[in-house]
Amino acid sequence: MAGEGGKSFARRDRLLQIEHDARQWWDEEDIFRAESFENTPEPGEKFYGNFPYPYMNGYLHLGHAFSLSKLEFAAAYHRLRGANVLLPFAFHCTGMPIKASADKLGREIQQFGNPPIFPREVEEEVAIVQEAEDANGGAPPDKFKGKKSKVASKSSGQAYQWEIMRSFGLSDEEIPMFQDPYNWLTYFPPLTKEDLRAFGLGCDWRRSFITTDKNPYYDSFVRWQMRKLKSMGKIVKDVRYTIYSPLDGQPCADHDRASGEGVQPQEYTIIKMELVSPFPSKLGVLEGRRVFLAAATLRPETMYGQTNAWVLPDGKYGAFEINDTDVFILTKRAALNLAYQKHSRIPEKPTCLVELTGYDLIGLPLRSPLSFNEIIYALPMLTILTDKGTGIVTSVPSDAPDDYMALHDLKSKPALRAKYGVKDECVLPFEIIPIIDIPEFGDRAAEKVCLDLKIKSQNEKEKLAEAKKLTYLKGFTEGTMIVGEFAGRRVQEAKTLIRSKLLEMGHAIMYSEPEKRVVSRSGDECIVALTDQWYITYGEEEWRKLAEECLSSMNLFFDETRHGFEHTLSWLNQWACSRSFGLGTRIPWDEQYLVESLSDSTIYMAYYTIAHLLQNGDITGSSISSIKPEQLTDNVWDFIFCGGPYPESSDISSSILNKMKQEFEYWYPFDLRVSGKDLIQNHLTFSIYNHTAIMPKKHWPRGFRCNGHIMLNSEKMSKSTGNFRTLRQAIEEFSADATRFSLADAGDGVDDANFVFETANAAILRLTKEISWMEEVLSAESSLRTGPPSTYADRVFANEINIAVKMTGQNYRDYMFREALKTGFYDLQAARDEYRFSCGAGGMNRDLVWLFMDVQTRLITPICPHYAEYVWRILLKKNGFAVKAGWPVANPLDLTLKSSNKYLQDSIVLMRKLLQKQISGSKKGNKKGAPVTTLTEDNKLTGLIYVNEQFDGWKAECLRILQSKFDSTTRTFSPDGEILEALKNSSVGQAANFKQTQKLCMPFMRFKKDEAVALGVQALDLRLPFGEIEVLQENLDLIKRQIGLEEVEILSATNPEALAKAGTLASVLNQNPPSPGNPTAIFLTR
C-alpha cells in the first residue's frame, strides 16, 4: 500500500505490474483503434466523446485527470457494452501560455545569468527542492514545503520559471533551449501521451495532433474555418473596449490569463468636475490649463443632486495630461486605462504633471455639470477604494447611503472637519437635494434607509451595504426623476439620455476598466484598452437564436449547467479573435495577426475524425502523407464537413476524399464533450455558436457534461501550498487503477469534488485483496457446492447480482460514476460477503461464485480496466479482452426476494438487540424480588420467534382507510381532515374507547403515510408480500449462527398453543407485540 514511514509498497507495485502487462496486451491488438463503417450507425451503435485539449506548458495534473476520467469512464462503458467507440486526444499549443513561459525564462536568464544565480532566499528554496529530488530518487517533485522567496512571492505568486523547468526533470544544460517556445511543442506532448497511456486512457492515438502553424494540416483547417466565418459576416473589424496586457501589447483573453478568467470590462461615465481658479500653490504649474477632478460614476442620472466630491485623504493621485488643454486629476491606475482609451496626450503613455495626495485636494472649489450648486468642494471620505474607478467620487447624499453618512459625519463632527482642515463653508451650507422619487422610500431614499437601519457612521460598512441593496436596484427599476430636463421619466430610461447629454456637451467621457483584477500569464496587471481589431460577432440576434436552439436539444445532465449556458448566451458579445503575439495560426486575410487560443478550438472535434488520414499518426503533421497540406482547399473542407459539392478541381484521390467524408459522417455529431464548468462562459459556448454557423443541424453537438474543480483531501489543489499532484505522481504513488478508483469516488455533480488519498490507498488494498480472494477460491474450487443454485441464500445472491447489473448499467448511462462504483463494486462485494456467511457449512455454490467473479469484473472494467483485464485473462482464463467483454445479461429482478432478505437481516439485528436486553434485564431481577431464570450468553439458549403476519384490529382499519384515501399515481393522500373524519365514522371511531385508541392511531397513520409516499401503495397492505414464517423457517441455521442459539422455533403469535410456550416470559410479548415486518423473540435456557 502506498504511504510513508516504512509501509510496504508490495500491493501497489503488484498493481503497477498488472497495469504494465495489461497495456502490453492492449497494444498487441491495438484494442482502442476506432474505425468507421460505410453505413450510418444506428442510435447507440457508436459513441464519440472528446475532451478539451490541454495546454502543453507542463505535466497534466489531477484536475485534468478528474475531468478526463468522466469521458474515459463513459467511453469505456460504451465500449464494454459493444458500441464502436472513438476517444481521441490532442495537444493545445496556441496562444500565450507557452510563449509567456518561454519569455519569462528568457528574462530570468537575462537578469540572473545562465544558469541563473537567484537571490539568497531563492537559493535556500532550491536546496529544499534538490533535497526533495534526492529523497525521491531523482523523480521530479511538484510538491515541496520550502518557503517562497520574497522575489518569487512578488511575481504573481509564481516560482521562477527556471525552477519550474527543473521540477519537470530538465537539467540546467537543457533548460535554456526552452526560451524557444517551439521546443515546448516537441517536449511535452510525448510526455503527456506517456502519462495518459499509463493512466489507461482508451485513446486512438493515431488521431492526435498539435495546434499552431507548426502543424500545416491543422493550420489549414483553422484558416478555412476563419475564412468561412468571415464570408458569413461573422468576423468583423471593430473598435471596442477589451481586457488588455500592456506588457504583451495585445488583448488578454480568458486563457491568456493567470488570474481573472471571465472578467469583463466595466463601463463608467467620468464626470469632469472643473477646478475653479485661482489654483493653490501645489497646483500652480497647471495654471492656464483646464483642470478637472475626474469622477467615475455608474449613475450619471444622479448628478443633479451633487453636494460635493469625495477624495481619499491618504490616496495617491496625479495630474495627468489628457490633451493639449485638459488635465485630469485621478489615480495612476485609472490614468493608465485612459491612456489606452485614446485619452492621453501621448497615446498609451500617461504623463503626470504633478503628484498629489488626497490632502492636497481637500477644500478645492469645483464646478460640476448638472449640479444645482454652482460651486461644490472636494471633501474627505475614508472608505474610497483606489483600485476601483478613478479614486474621485461624486457625492449625491439624497440617493447614496455612503454619501449621506459621510456628509452627516462631517456636518455633525467639528473635530473631524478640523482633523482634515475642512472649512465650515465647504460643508455646512450644503443640504440634501431631492432628485428621484422611489416607492416606499420617497425622494430622500438614502436618508430614510439610514434612519430605518439606525446607521450612525460612515464606517458601518455592513449596514451601508444593506442600505444600498435596499435602494439602488429599486431606484433604478421603479424610481422617477423629479428634476431636470427629464423630470417625470423613469430612471432606467433617463439614465441613458442624461449620459448622452453629458457626453455631447463635453462634460463627461466614457471610461472602462476590468471588473476585477486580471493578471496575464506574463505577470502583467491588465487594463482595458480601446482596440481596433478582428471580432467574432457572438451575441448577434439571429446567430444567438441558433445557439439557443442547439442548446435546447442537448443533454447537459444538470440544471446548473443549463442555467450557466443560458446566462452566458444572454451576455456574450463580440469576442476579440486576433492577437499580435504568441503561437498559432495567422489570420488568413490579415497575417500580421494570429487567431487567439479560444477561437482556433471551437470545431476541432470534427478534425479528429480525419486527422489520422491527413497526418499519418504524426502529431506535427511532418511525416510523409498521401495528402499535402496545400491540397486542402476550402472546397475540400466544405465537401468533408459542410455537405458541399464534390471538389472536382481537387487532385486528392476520390477514394481518400470519400473516406474522409465517410469518417466524418459516421462519427459526427459527437455524443459527449466533458469539461470543467469554467469553460461554459467561453470555449463551450463558442463551440455551440461555431457548430451552428458552419455545420448542418444534424451535426450539432449532442451533449456537454460539466464538472466542478477537484480538491485534494478537502483542500484546494494548489502548487503554492504543496497540496498538488501531477497525474504522473498520482500513478507512481497509488497506481493507475487506484487513482481512477479515487477519481470515480470523488464526486459526480457540478460542485467541487474531492480526491481523497485514503480512498486511493484503500482501493489498492481492496483490489489486491479481491485478487487474492479469487486466487484462493479458484485454487480450492473443488470444495465449492456444485449443482444448480437451490438455497434461499443462493436465490438472494443471484438476485443481488442481477440488481447490481441493472443499477450499475443505469448509473453508467447517466454518467454517475460514483454511484456506479457503489452499486457495481461496494454493494456487490457486500452481497458476496453476506452470501459467504449465509451459506455456512454448506458452502457457496460454484456456479454463483463464477457468475459473481465474471459480473463484478465487467462492472468495474470502465473504472479499473487493468485490474479487470488481469482477472479476465489470468484468473478467469477468458478469451478476448475485458474492455470489450460485453455488458452482463441480468435476469428479471425479484424485488420481493430483496425485501424478504432485508426483512431477514433486519430481524436478526432486532433479535440480537432483544437478546442483549433480556440478558441485562434478567441480571437485575424483578421489582418484587422474585427469582428469575438467570440468562447469560454462556447458557445453551433457545429462541422463540413470534410472528404476526397480518395487521388486525384498529391497525387494519387504519390501513383500509388510508388505502381508500391514497392516489397511487401521484403518491398523495386526501386532506388530513378527510382521513380523520373517515376514522371517526369507522368501527374504531364508534368504539367506546376511541379517545384512547386515537392516540395510537394518529402516529401509526403518519408513519404509514410516509412509507406509502416513499415506497408506493404496497406499504399500506395488511401483510408483507412474502411469508415471514416461511423466510425465517428457511434460514434457521443462519439465525442460530448469527445470534448464538442452540435451538430456534418460529411461532405464530395468533396461535394460543404457541403463546403458551413463552411461559413466564409472555409479558415480553405483551410489551413488544409482533406485527408484520417486526417479529418478537424471547430466549430461554433449556
Side-chain angles (χ1 to χ4, degrees):
M1 201 160 79
E4 298 175 1
K7 284 186 180 178
S8 169
F9 292 91
R11 290 181 180 274
R12 184 220 38 206
D13 292 345
R14 185 176 188 194
L15 289 181
L16 287 172
Q17 183 60 49
I18 285 171
E19 289 162 6
H20 174 269
D21 295 344
R23 285 195 298 276
Q24 279 196 328
W25 301 333
W26 294 336
D27 289 346
E28 286 167 5
E29 297 295 327
D30 206 0
I31 199 73
F32 301 122
R33 181 182 178 120
E35 296 290 358
S36 67
F37 298 102
E38 287 186 18
N39 296 331
T40 302
E42 296 296 322
E45 195 174 302
K46 69 89 181 172
F47 174 83
Y48 173 24
N50 48 64
F51 170 82
Y53 43 27
Y55 287 112
M56 288 294 99
N57 59 340
Y59 286 106
L60 297 188
H61 52 67
L62 278 181
H64 293 113
F66 176 64
S67 294
L68 181 57
S69 72
K70 303 300 183 189
L71 171 63
E72 161 67 1
F73 298 155
Y77 162 70
H78 288 292
R79 185 183 297 111
L80 177 65
R81 69 170 181 79
N84 191 14
V85 170
L86 171 59
L87 191 167
F89 197 93
F91 312 98
H92 203 188
C93 305
T94 306
M96 286 301 293
I98 292 172
K99 181 74 164 60
S101 297
D103 290 349
K104 186 179 176 190
L105 184 63
R107 289 194 298 271
E108 289 172 8
I109 291 172
Q110 189 175 7
Q111 185 176 357
F112 300 112
N114 181 10
I117 299 172
F118 295 122
R120 180 167 176 78
E121 293 96 330
V122 180
E123 288 179 3
E124 292 171 359
E125 179 175 299
V126 174
I128 294 168
V129 176
Q130 193 59 53
E131 185 179 330
E133 287 179 351
D134 294 341
N136 283 273
D142 276 316
K143 180 177 178 180
F144 52 89
K145 297 180 180 178
K147 290 183 179 178
K148 279 191 176 179
S149 71
K150 293 177 183 175
V151 180
S153 297
K154 288 178 181 175
S155 67
S156 310
Q158 302 289 320
Y160 285 111
Q161 188 65 41
W162 189 283
E163 293 305 326
I164 294 172
M165 304 308 285
R166 274 185 181 167
S167 77
F168 294 152
L170 291 162
S171 69
D172 283 0
E173 290 72 33
E174 294 172 305
I175 291 172
M177 294 189 299
F178 288 85
Q179 294 175 86
D180 178 355
Y182 287 103
N183 277 333
W184 300 63
L185 277 59
T186 56
Y187 183 77
F188 282 107
L191 290 176
T192 300
K193 179 180 176 181
E194 192 178 297
D195 290 349
L196 291 173
R197 288 189 72 257
F199 185 61
L201 187 70
C203 179
D204 183 352
W205 291 107
R206 299 174 304 148
R207 301 170 187 263
S208 297
F209 58 88
I210 62 167
T211 64
T212 76
D213 52 9
K214 279 294 178 184
N215 179 350
Y217 295 96
Y218 190 74
D219 188 62
S220 172
F221 171 75
V222 175
R223 283 170 172 266
W224 162 74
Q225 178 191 348
M226 300 304 285
R227 283 193 294 266
K228 188 93 175 162
L229 291 172
K230 187 170 187 290
S231 70
M232 301 168 76
K234 299 192 182 302
I235 296 182
V236 298
K237 203 164 194 186
D238 199 0
V239 178
R240 291 182 60 83
Y241 288 114
T242 306
I243 305 289
Y244 189 91
S245 165
L247 180 62
D248 296 335
Q250 64 180 1
C252 187
D254 280 2
H255 284 196
D256 301 328
R257 302 175 189 177
S259 64
E261 187 169 333
V263 173
Q264 298 290 319
Q266 171 71 64
E267 201 170 81
Y268 292 85
T269 304
I270 283 186
I271 305 298
K272 296 162 69 173
M273 310 171 89
E274 187 169 8
L275 181 59
V276 178
S277 289
F279 298 168
S281 59
K282 187 76 181 274
L283 300 175
V285 70
L286 304 178
E287 285 286 2
R289 310 286 284 270
R290 296 200 308 164
V291 180
F292 302 92
L293 265 63
T297 182
L298 296 170
R299 306 190 64 194
E301 76 280 4
T302 65
M303 292 304 99
Y304 295 106
Q306 295 174 80
T307 56
N308 58 281
W310 297 117
V311 297
L312 181 67
D314 293 318
K316 293 180 179 180
Y317 298 88
F320 292 90
E321 285 188 293
I322 300 302
N323 51 43
D324 290 337
T325 60
D326 292 359
V327 173
F328 279 6
I329 294 175
L330 69 175
T331 60
K332 182 179 179 180
R333 184 191 60 80
L336 182 62
N337 277 274
L338 279 175
Y340 279 83
Q341 295 168 28
K342 307 192 186 315
H343 292 295
S344 177
R345 189 176 68 81
I346 303 174
E348 302 183 3
K349 290 185 179 178
T351 308
C352 182
L353 300 177
V354 184
E355 291 187 353
L356 303 161
T357 69
Y359 286 102
D360 298 321
L361 306 178
I362 293 171
L364 291 181
L366 307 165
R367 284 195 185 90
S368 191
L370 299 187
S371 174
F372 287 126
N373 291 299
E374 185 177 348
I375 300 293
I376 60 175
Y377 297 91
L379 301 177
M381 181 186 245
L382 309 181
T383 55
I384 292 175
L385 300 173
T386 54
D387 59 353
K388 281 279 185 188
T390 60
I392 308 291
V393 181
T394 60
S395 175
V396 184
S398 58
D399 287 78
D402 286 316
D403 297 346
Y404 173 79
M405 287 313 305
L407 187 62
H408 177 272
D409 285 353
L410 280 172
K411 279 192 164 196
S412 61
K413 298 174 181 176
L416 185 61
R417 296 198 296 274
K419 179 179 179 181
Y420 293 106
V422 178
K423 296 176 181 177
D424 289 358
E425 58 266 29
C426 297
V427 180
L428 299 181
F430 293 89
E431 299 296 335
I432 290 175
I433 302 170
I435 56 171
I436 296 172
D437 184 69
I438 305 174
E440 299 175 29
F441 291 97
D443 58 11
R444 299 160 73 98
E447 180 181 50
K448 182 178 190 313
V449 76
C450 287
L451 291 172
D452 289 349
L453 295 177
K454 296 181 172 57
I455 301 173
K456 305 295 185 188
S457 159
Q458 63 181 302
N459 297 321
E460 296 184 56
K461 292 180 182 178
E462 289 184 9
K463 283 189 175 182
L464 284 167
E466 176 65 18
K468 285 184 279 191
K469 195 172 171 184
L470 291 169
T471 57
Y472 276 13
L473 182 60
K474 195 173 182 69
F476 178 71
T477 56
E478 300 180 37
T480 304
M481 301 298 299
I482 59 174
V483 297
E485 182 181 343
F486 303 103
R489 299 215 190 182
R490 282 293 180 93
V491 167
Q492 54 187 321
E493 179 187 359
K495 177 176 184 170
T496 306
L497 297 171
I498 293 170
R499 181 174 58 192
S500 298
K501 178 182 176 182
L502 287 165
L503 295 171
E504 286 169 15
M505 295 175 67
H507 293 326
I509 62 169
M510 296 308 300
Y511 167 71
S512 191
E513 66 181 27
E515 294 169 316
K516 297 177 184 174
R517 190 169 186 262
V518 176
V519 177
S520 76
R521 288 183 183 266
S522 300
D524 180 36
E525 182 167 350
C526 293
I527 59 166
V528 167
L530 199 56
T531 60
D532 178 13
Q533 63 158 315
W534 296 103
Y535 292 88
I536 300 179
T537 60
Y538 300 134
E540 184 269 317
E541 187 176 357
E542 291 304 314
W543 198 6
R544 188 178 71 242
K545 285 179 182 175
L546 288 176
E548 289 169 343
E549 181 185 347
C550 176
L551 186 72
S552 68
S553 64
M554 291 178 69
N555 185 355
L556 300 176
F557 299 92
F558 303 105
D559 288 341
E560 185 179 335
T561 301
R562 186 168 297 280
H563 296 155
F565 277 104
E566 289 168 348
H567 176 65
T568 300
L569 288 173
S570 73
W571 63 258
L572 183 62
N573 213 315
Q574 290 188 355
W575 180 268
C577 63
S578 57
R579 293 291 177 271
S580 301
F581 304 104
L583 306 180
T585 291
R586 295 279 162 190
I587 299 272
W589 60 89
D590 193 355
E591 297 219 355
Q592 65 176 309
Y593 293 114
L594 293 153
V595 181
E596 66 90 30
S597 64
L598 281 163
S599 299
D600 80 338
S601 54
T602 56
I603 59 167
Y604 71 90
M605 314 86 192
Y607 185 81
Y608 278 127
T609 64
I610 62 168
H612 60 305
L613 300 175
L614 298 176
Q615 298 185 204
N616 206 23
D618 179 353
I619 65 169
T620 63
S622 57
S623 292
I624 296 173
S625 170
S626 57
I627 304 170
K628 294 181 175 62
E630 55 269 22
Q631 292 177 291
L632 296 168
T633 63
D634 287 3
N635 289 340
V636 169
W637 291 118
D638 284 342
F639 170 69
I640 297 169
F641 295 132
C642 302
Y646 184 88
E648 299 290 351
S649 60
S650 176
D651 54 359
I652 301 173
S653 74
S654 60
S655 62
I656 293 178
L657 281 170
N658 289 323
K659 175 61 176 173
M660 288 194 289
K661 187 172 180 64
Q662 174 195 307
E663 282 277 337
F664 173 70
E665 293 286 345
Y666 180 87
W667 293 114
Y668 241 67
F670 62 80
D671 300 280
L672 180 69
R673 186 163 180 78
V674 170
S675 165
K677 63 183 178 183
D678 53 306
L679 295 186
I680 292 173
Q681 64 191 4
N682 42 57
H683 163 70
L684 294 175
T685 302
F686 295 174
S687 181
I688 291 174
Y689 264 114
N690 280 266
H691 274 89
T692 60
I694 293 173
M695 295 185 183
K697 189 179 296 186
K698 67 177 182 176
H699 290 146
W700 290 359
R702 284 181 177 162
F704 289 153
R705 190 192 188 287
C706 297
N707 51 263
H709 300 294
I710 193 166
M711 298 184 290
L712 298 189
N713 301 320
S714 302
E715 293 182 6
K716 182 180 177 181
M717 191 165 75
S718 166
K719 281 186 180 179
S720 62
T721 63
N723 192 45
F724 186 82
R725 286 291 189 283
T726 63
L727 175 57
R728 177 169 295 207
Q729 288 172 323
I731 293 170
E732 289 171 351
E733 185 171 355
F734 304 116
S735 79
D737 278 355
T739 298
R740 292 169 65 116
F741 190 104
S742 195
L743 288 169
D745 188 69
D748 287 315
V750 187
D751 295 332
D752 288 352
N754 187 27
F755 183 97
V756 181
F757 290 3
E758 283 184 12
T759 302
N761 277 321
I764 296 170
L765 187 61
R766 271 185 171 273
L767 295 174
T768 52
K769 284 182 74 173
E770 191 64 15
I771 288 173
S772 298
W773 178 80
M774 284 188 268
E775 288 171 339
E776 289 170 16
V777 167
L778 291 170
S779 66
E781 188 178 356
S782 59
S783 65
L784 296 174
R785 175 164 44 90
T786 56
S790 56
T791 67
Y792 178 85
D794 288 347
R795 295 198 305 275
V796 167
F797 187 39
N799 192 50
E800 288 298 324
I801 293 173
N802 289 329
I803 289 170
V805 171
K806 290 282 189 183
M807 292 185 68
T808 307
Q810 187 60 53
N811 288 327
Y812 276 128
R813 285 191 293 277
D814 293 340
Y815 304 144
M816 301 299 286
F817 304 113
R818 186 178 193 173
E819 291 303 307
L821 189 62
K822 177 182 180 296
T823 56
F825 190 73
Y826 287 117
D827 290 353
L828 192 52
Q829 288 213 320
R832 185 272 315 274
D833 293 342
E834 182 184 294
Y835 175 60
R836 288 164 67 190
F837 192 86
S838 298
C839 287
M844 297 183 290
N845 178 270
R846 178 192 178 282
D847 293 348
L848 276 181
V849 170
W850 269 92
L851 177 64
F852 163 78
M853 290 189 292
D854 178 296
V855 168
Q856 182 187 249
T857 302
R858 298 191 207 209
L859 298 193
I860 197 67
T861 292
I863 294 170
C864 299
H866 310 88
Y867 158 87
E869 206 65 73
Y870 174 83
V871 171
W872 189 259
R873 176 176 290 218
I874 303 301
L875 299 186
L876 303 185
K877 310 293 186 189
K878 301 267 191 176
N879 294 324
F881 291 89
V883 294
K884 288 191 171 182
W887 191 253
V889 177
N891 292 322
L893 308 188
D894 188 340
L895 297 181
T896 300
L897 180 57
K898 184 172 181 64
S899 297
S900 75
N901 187 54
K902 185 177 186 306
Y903 163 81
L904 172 64
Q905 302 302 328
D906 289 350
S907 296
I908 289 172
V909 171
L910 179 64
M911 292 175 209
R912 196 179 291 119
K913 288 180 180 176
L914 288 171
L915 175 58
Q916 293 301 322
K917 186 176 179 182
Q918 198 172 330
I919 288 173
S920 60
S922 70
K923 291 174 182 175
K924 295 175 185 175
N926 64 21
K927 291 180 182 178
K928 297 180 181 178
V932 295
T933 304
T934 302
L935 197 62
T936 71
E937 289 167 326
D938 298 328
N939 294 142
K940 292 184 177 180
L941 299 176
T942 295
L944 305 180
I945 301 173
Y946 287 90
V947 177
N948 186 353
E949 294 192 303
Q950 182 164 324
F951 287 108
D952 51 20
W954 62 265
K955 288 184 178 179
E957 189 62 34
C958 286
L959 287 171
R960 291 190 191 98
I961 292 169
L962 289 177
Q963 288 170 357
S964 69
K965 303 298 181 183
F966 183 64
D967 184 332
S968 58
T969 305
T970 61
R971 290 197 181 184
T972 57
F973 284 93
S974 301
D976 288 347
E978 194 176 314
I979 294 172
L980 181 59
E981 189 63 28
L983 181 61
K984 288 178 180 177
N985 295 330
S986 69
S987 58
V988 174
Q990 301 300 313
N993 64 343
F994 175 60
K995 284 192 175 180
Q996 291 177 322
T997 310
Q998 186 179 7
K999 292 177 182 178
L1000 302 173
C1001 290
M1002 300 317 291
F1004 175 73
M1005 292 175 85
R1006 276 197 301 273
F1007 172 73
K1008 297 306 286 186
K1009 280 175 67 178
D1010 290 343
E1011 265 198 331
V1013 170
L1015 304 175
V1017 68
Q1018 65 269 23
L1020 303 177
D1021 290 344
L1022 270 62
R1023 59 190 303 138
L1024 299 182
F1026 51 84
E1028 295 180 56
I1029 291 176
E1030 181 184 349
V1031 169
L1032 296 173
Q1033 199 73 46
E1034 199 170 355
N1035 288 280
L1036 289 177
D1037 177 64
L1038 176 65
I1039 295 169
K1040 288 178 189 176
R1041 284 187 289 112
Q1042 284 270 36
I1043 304 177
L1045 302 176
E1046 188 78 13
E1047 295 293 335
V1048 174
E1049 284 189 67
I1050 312 299
L1051 305 168
S1052 171
T1054 59
N1055 184 338
E1057 292 180 10
L1059 291 174
K1061 292 187 177 184
T1064 58
L1065 292 175
S1067 59
V1068 175
L1069 292 175
N1070 295 328
Q1071 292 166 5
N1072 300 289
S1075 63
N1078 292 289
T1080 299
I1082 59 176
F1083 303 96
L1084 309 167
T1085 55
R1086 288 184 177 172

